[in-house]
Each structure stands twice: as structure tokens, then as C-alpha cells.
Amino acid sequence: MRISARADYAVRAALELAVRDEDGPVKAEAIATVQDIPHKFLESILGDLRRAGLVDSRRGGNGGYRLARDASEITVADVIRAVDGPIVSVRGVRPTGLSYAGSAEPLLPLWVALRANVRRILEGVTLADIAADKLPETVQALAAEPAAWENP
């Protein structure tokens, strides 16, 4: 699985809004600077997040962006879907929309299982979890496995 730059930047931007929630609206320039995200690219990402109902924006001198819901109600999966679409796809098609014949038939349940596991992790972690540095135990356990840090 590949996490796009757009998805990575979106999660980082949303996380920045989560940790600054009590400060009021945050300007895109501030997010771009702190997270080292190209400003124009970030504006496009924030637009996607706004259209998905994850962030609100306000114009003017005291304007900026803020989360539209509490950080505990926004998962990493929500953010990724807002900017990249389906979490796992094969050639741009959701696994449930595929069909294979012959010796390739066993691939379908493999892709569906992959999708289920990725969703389980990304839908189980909220922006509040990351902001508090308290990832769910299941995620911590997976990350603690030595093989998780190795490249085959």
C-alpha cells in the first residue's frame, strides 16, 4: 500500500488543526510553515477537507481553518478518503467491484482482506488519538513488532 503525499499532507494538516483547536482558526500559511507543506498544495487539500465536511474555513483577518467536528470524531481514514478516495483499490477499482477467473480467483479475497485490515487500523485511529500521542494498543503492538520496521 502506498500513502500519497496528498494523504500524508492532509493528515498532518488536520492534526495541526486538532492540536491548535483552542487557538481559534489557523491560517493555511501557518500550517504550511510548521508542517513544511507547499502552500498552494495545502490550499487545495484544505479545500478537499472542507468539501468533505472535515474542516470549516472563515475569511478575513481573524479567519483561517479549524476542524468541523471534534478531533475524536475524525479518523485518519476520513481524512485520507477526503483527498484520495477509497482507502484500498486495485487499478482504481474497489476490491468488491473486481472479479477474477481461473487461477486468479483467489486474489479477490486476498485484496478484500487487505482492505479490511487497512480500514481496521485507519478507521480505528482518530486525530485526537494522535494529538494526545495515544495510539490504540492494537496499533502500538503492530508498530512494536521488529519486522514492522524492516524492509524486505
Side-chain angles (χ1 to χ4, degrees), residues 38-102:
H39 182 258
K40 287 289 188 190
F41 197 23
L42 178 60
E43 286 284 357
S44 173
I45 289 167
L46 289 168
D48 288 344
L49 295 176
R50 187 179 50 73
R51 283 185 288 283
L54 301 178
V55 302
D56 289 326
S57 62
R58 186 179 350 159
R59 295 178 185 243
N62 293 328
Y65 294 88
R66 65 182 320 147
L67 294 179
R69 302 191 310 254
D70 190 86
S72 65
E73 298 174 9
I74 300 174
T75 68
V76 174
D78 294 331
V79 176
I80 293 173
R81 283 186 187 112
V83 298
D84 273 354
I87 298 288
V88 174
S89 65
V90 179
R91 300 181 329 264
V93 178
R94 291 181 172 144
T96 53
L98 297 170
S99 64
Y100 293 104

Side-chain angles (χ1 to χ4, degrees), residues 77 81 87-88 114-124:
R81 283 186 187 112
I87 298 288
V88 174
L114 172 68
R115 174 181 164 206
N117 276 309
V118 170
R119 285 176 59 181
R120 184 174 307 148
I121 291 171
L122 297 180
E123 291 174 352

Side-chain angles (χ1 to χ4, degrees), residues 97-115:
L98 297 170
S99 64
Y100 293 104
S103 61
E105 277 188 63
L107 280 177
L108 184 57
L110 174 66
W111 299 151
V112 171
L114 172 68
R115 174 181 164 206

